[in-house]
Amino acid sequence: MVRSGKNLKEFMECFAGEKWLASQVVSRLMDVHPDNSYGGKSFYLQPLPLLTKSHFQLHIREEKKKSADRTWTLTTICGGKAELESQERSLGDADVLRKIVEIIKREGK
């Protein structure tokens, strides 16, 4: 489980309004890496290997829109390749966190 560090702090600050859900996600992660290549907020999330039968990563990226509500794109990455058919767009803060927990549970052992 990710316990401390600048990356964890940055992730938790992004989801300050959803602290309980964010802590549920973090409890299932081995590591969180920010991805600053998009200009906005984005993170690679590595699930704990003990919780999943397949090795994969999740990538969430903040969508740049003119609307007031922030939305995210969630992508699953297996074997270094993004699974575009499983990509989900326009997810709110709570929705993206719920989807992450759901994916990790679905891929569970």
Side-chain angles (χ1 to χ4, degrees), residues 7-81:
N7 298 345
L8 176 62
K9 183 179 177 186
E10 188 176 339
F11 179 79
M12 292 301 285
E13 285 173 356
C14 266
F15 297 102
E18 299 291 341
K19 284 189 180 194
W20 186 84
L21 273 172
S23 66
Q24 292 296 305
V25 169
V26 168
S27 71
R28 293 167 169 81
L29 297 179
M30 183 170 71
D31 211 350
V32 175
H33 299 283
D35 175 19
N36 299 322
S37 63
Y38 287 101
K41 297 285 185 187
S42 59
F43 298 93
Y44 285 102
L45 309 173
Q46 181 83 37
L48 283 166
L50 296 172
L51 297 178
T52 59
K53 54 188 167 199
S54 60
H55 296 283
F56 65 94
Q57 284 185 323
L58 298 167
H59 184 259
I60 58 171
R61 177 175 45 94
E62 182 180 15
E63 296 175 354
K64 293 292 185 185
K65 292 188 176 181
K66 298 202 188 281
S67 67
D69 295 334
R70 177 172 64 179
T71 59
W72 298 87
T73 296
L74 171 65
T75 308
T76 304
I77 302 170
C78 287
K81 296 182 182 178

Side-chain angles (χ1 to χ4, degrees), residues 3 5 9 34 49 62 83 99:
R3 295 180 196 267
K9 183 179 177 186
E62 182 180 15
E83 295 181 355
K99 285 285 186 184

